């Protein structure tokens, strides 16, 4: 995330219409943090097409001030996760006529061609923090108050001890969910299709071990993930004044949740707030720290790094870097359509090099080329001849297609000479019936079709070219 041109600040009471008059800052490239001309915090990503937008608050506290001074929300965007455009402030506390102060953490969710910006903001009435919602027809606004008052406040039955940090998720069936909360009080409720009213009772989700604040909800391969800030000293942070990011998973968006571990360790600021999104086939985490010049606990800055999943759906701890991710532009070949059941299988192989990873073959990565190592790579150097990879499922699957994306490291691993898809018929591996051919082209998904087979095991035999070994970046298996 990258760069550094001044942004025209907005006065506290300015109208939302003035926000859109800000001049867009040109794209530029730099290391983490992304922006250093101002301080930004509490990032939340949204991917629209081939663009990732990051919505963040602005820290305006003078040096030496030990309190948050936040009056506006900014937008950053990228098409490759390395080069960023800073669009300036796109909403502020003046967007909400009922608000008084404190433009804290926010998130934008898209639905039916409109963009809903959920914010933590201090109301003028009784109580402290509320959750408001603004709406626009573009990810960059102009945003206007969608409701005319808080969506969540202290008067909401079973509200959190601190009503902050909203995260909103629209599931595949169209049902939307809102999570929020601070002071160890996570809360959840369903949203109406208009995205500005709640449906049913507010519930206290179960299983979010050591929850403190900053929830972020997303879904991958049918599994729901909840990231959140925790401040325990039991594998999280060295002092409870700081926070890490833990995560939990569930098979239902309302839980119950199963704690899975720490995904982002302690950062250089006391607060820790993060979100994740997949751009051009690669997952990224955006978060904040105090690493910009003059930074501190109330002068934070947004950073970005890559995030990786294991074959079982667990998340590898994110490595915090000062360089940020390398450019990962779109435009590559996209995966074939259909229900890919490879991520639910257990992979095995005849041989994998110690420096490569079998997890690469079904971790859901989308390679940009056969030389792409961004989502790990499987290779079997120095073995030659025929090697195999295999999937096993707990129950039989009806499969009629597979797709292989070959790995070529430009050295000892090359695309294969040939390959063959086989299935387990109950007693032995046999060739799939009526196979269309097993392609060996580089930089693409080689799709093999065949008559449907019902099996709990699928194998890919890979025969190398003379003098080379072979490798795979992704092998997909589709339900018939």
């Amino acid at each position: 995330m990258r760069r550094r041109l001044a942004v025209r600040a907005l006065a506290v009471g300015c109208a939302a219409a003035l926000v859109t008059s800000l001049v867009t800052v040109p794209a530029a490239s730099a290391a983490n943090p992304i922006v250093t001309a101002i301080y930004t915090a509490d990032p939340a990503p949204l991917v629209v097409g081939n663009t990732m937008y990051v919505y963040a608050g602005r820290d305006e506290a003078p040096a030496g001030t030990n309190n948050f001074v936040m009056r506006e929300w900014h937008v950053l965007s990228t098409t490759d996760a390395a080069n960023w455009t800073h669009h300036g402030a796109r909403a502020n506390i003046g967007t909400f006529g009922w608000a008084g102060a404190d433009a804290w953490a926010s998130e934008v969710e898209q639905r039916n061609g409109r963009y809903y910006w959920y914010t933590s903001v201090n109301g003028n009435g009784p109580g402290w923090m509320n959750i408001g919602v603004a709406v626009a027809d573009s990810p960059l606004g102009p945003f206007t108050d969608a409701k005319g008052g808080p969506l969540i406040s202290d008067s909401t039955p079973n509200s959190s001890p601190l009503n902050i940090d909203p995260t909103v998720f629209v599931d595949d069936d169209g049902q939307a969910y809102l999570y929020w909360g601070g002071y160890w009080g996570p809360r959840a409720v369903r949203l109406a299709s208009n995205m500005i009213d709640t449906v049913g009772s507010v519930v206290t989700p179960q299983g979010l071990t050591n929850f403190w604040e900053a929830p972020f909800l997303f879904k991958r391969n049918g599994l729901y993930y909840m990231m959140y800030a925790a401040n325990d000293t039991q594998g999280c942070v060295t002092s409870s004044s700081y926070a890490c990011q833990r995560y939990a998973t569930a098979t239902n968006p309302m839980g119950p949740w199963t704690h899975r571990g720490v995904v982002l360790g302690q950062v250089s600021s006391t607060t820790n707030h993060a979100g994740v999104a997949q751009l051009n086939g690669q997952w990224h985490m955006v978060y904040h720290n105090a690493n910009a010049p003059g930074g501190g606990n109330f002068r934070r800055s947004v950073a970005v790094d890559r995030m990786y999943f294991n074959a079982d759906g667990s998340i590898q701890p994110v490595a915090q870097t000062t360089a940020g991710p390398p450019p990962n532009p779109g435009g590559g070949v996209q995966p074939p359509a259909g229900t890919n059941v490879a991520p639910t299988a257990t992979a095995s192989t005849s041989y994998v090099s110690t420096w490569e990873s079998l997890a690469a073959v079904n971790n859901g990565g989308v390679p940009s080329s056969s030389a792409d190592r961004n989502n790990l790579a499987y290779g079997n150097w120095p073995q030659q001849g025929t090697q195999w990879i295999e999937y096993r499922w707990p129950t039989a699957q009806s499969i009629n297609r597979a797709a292989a994306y070959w790995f070529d490291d430009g050295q000892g691993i090359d695309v294969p000479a040939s390959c063959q898809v086989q299935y387990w018929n109950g007693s032995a591996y046999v060739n799939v019936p009526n196979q269309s051919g097993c392609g060996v082209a580089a930089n693409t998904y080689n799709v093999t079709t065949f008559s449907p087979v019902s099996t709990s095991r699928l194998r890919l035999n890979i025969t190398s070219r003379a003098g080379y070994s072979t490798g795979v970046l992704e092998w997909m298996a589709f339900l018939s």
Side-chain angles (χ1 to χ4, degrees):
M1 292 180 169
R2 327 232 158 223
R3 191 58 151 213
R4 43 189 91 191
L5 285 172
V7 174
R8 187 178 357 155
L10 294 176
V12 172
C14 73
L18 292 179
V19 177
T20 60
S21 69
L22 290 173
V23 177
T24 297
V25 176
S29 180
N32 278 331
I34 301 171
V35 176
T36 56
I38 65 170
Y39 299 106
T40 52
D42 304 323
L46 173 71
V47 173
V48 180
N50 67 344
T51 301
M52 181 195 295
Y53 297 89
V54 170
Y55 300 84
R58 178 183 178 184
D59 276 343
E60 299 182 69
T65 299
N66 292 319
N67 200 0
F68 295 110
V69 180
M70 305 183 75
R71 297 174 289 191
E72 59 191 29
W73 294 277
H74 285 237
V75 184
L76 313 167
S77 72
T78 183
T79 57
D80 66 0
N83 298 284
W84 291 81
T85 299
H86 183 185
H87 299 276
R90 294 286 163 162
N92 61 30
I93 58 175
T95 303
F96 304 98
W98 49 270
D102 298 330
W104 286 8
S106 67
E107 182 179 316
V108 173
E109 181 69 4
Q110 178 185 12
R111 182 163 189 165
N112 297 328
R114 307 201 79 192
Y115 299 86
Y116 296 86
W117 199 337
Y118 299 85
T119 65
S120 309
V121 65
N122 196 334
N124 285 318
W128 189 14
M129 296 301 293
N130 306 287
I131 293 174
V133 55
V135 67
D137 294 324
S138 160
L140 295 176
F143 286 89
T144 58
D145 189 357
K147 192 172 176 66
L151 173 63
I152 300 293
S153 69
D154 285 355
S155 63
T156 302
N158 193 36
S159 66
S160 172
L162 185 60
N163 293 308
I164 60 171
D165 298 352
T167 180
V168 174
F169 168 76
V170 179
D171 208 351
D172 300 332
D173 62 1
Q175 178 61 60
Y177 300 86
L178 167 68
Y179 275 76
W180 76 98
Y183 289 166
W184 305 285
R187 297 293 187 266
V189 70
R190 290 175 173 84
L191 292 179
S193 59
N194 65 9
M195 301 295 280
I196 62 172
D197 291 309
T198 61
V199 176
S201 301
V202 172
V203 302
T204 302
Q206 302 300 305
L208 299 180
T209 303
N210 295 319
F211 176 94
W212 166 245
E213 62 183 6
F216 187 88
L217 174 61
F218 67 101
K219 184 179 182 181
R220 176 183 178 271
N221 291 340
L223 190 64
Y224 300 91
Y225 291 78
M226 180 68 72
M227 295 193 325
Y228 56 92
N231 64 352
D232 63 279
T233 56
Q234 301 171 1
C236 175
V237 289
T238 57
S239 164
S240 59
S241 297
Y242 288 81
C244 71
Q245 284 282 320
R246 293 189 177 275
Y247 80 104
T249 57
T251 56
N252 186 292
M254 294 291 275
W257 297 92
T258 300
H259 176 252
R260 302 294 294 272
V262 174
V263 64
L264 180 69
Q266 180 174 314
V267 296
S268 53
S269 60
T270 52
T271 57
N272 194 331
H273 196 118
V276 303
Q278 188 181 37
L279 178 67
N280 301 332
Q282 172 64 54
W283 286 88
H284 298 85
M285 174 180 284
V286 291
Y287 59 98
H288 68 227
N289 57 35
N291 291 358
N297 294 329
F298 306 102
R299 294 154 65 90
R300 301 158 296 178
S301 295
V302 172
V304 61
D305 279 302
R306 286 178 165 173
M307 188 175 81
Y308 298 97
F309 290 85
N310 297 311
D312 64 358
S314 60
I315 308 176
Q316 299 177 20
V318 171
Q320 300 176 44
T321 73
T322 57
N328 181 34
V333 178
Q334 294 303 299
T339 302
N340 174 28
V341 294
T344 66
T346 299
S348 59
T349 182
S350 54
Y351 185 85
V352 60
S353 309
T354 56
W355 55 90
E356 308 291 8
S357 175
L358 179 61
V361 301
N362 63 344
N363 69 353
V366 180
S368 60
S369 71
S370 286
D372 185 1
R373 288 181 175 269
N374 291 331
N375 289 284
L376 306 180
Y378 159 82
N380 51 48
W381 191 90
Q383 305 300 313
Q384 297 183 26
T386 300
Q387 302 294 321
W388 53 263
I389 56 176
E390 175 184 299
Y391 288 150
R392 294 194 182 197
W393 292 273
T395 58
Q397 311 288 312
S398 180
I399 300 172
N400 70 346
R401 280 187 304 147
Y405 202 115
W406 304 112
F407 176 43
D408 178 359
D409 68 355
Q411 302 179 71
I413 293 177
D414 198 358
V415 297
S418 63
C419 56
Q420 173 69 56
V421 179
Q422 296 187 314
Y423 77 103
W424 182 257
N425 67 3
S427 57
Y429 273 106
V430 296
N431 293 344
V432 293
N434 301 314
Q435 178 174 283
S436 63
C438 193
V440 294
N443 306 316
T444 194
Y445 293 89
N446 293 269
V447 178
T448 301
T449 61
F450 44 88
S451 298
V453 296
S454 180
T455 184
S456 61
R457 305 185 199 177
L458 198 69
R459 177 174 285 190
L460 179 63
N461 292 320
I462 313 167
T463 301
S464 66
R465 301 176 186 271
Y468 290 95
S469 300
T470 53
V472 175
L473 294 177
E474 196 74 16
W475 185 42
M476 308 172 76
F478 296 93
L479 291 180
S480 59

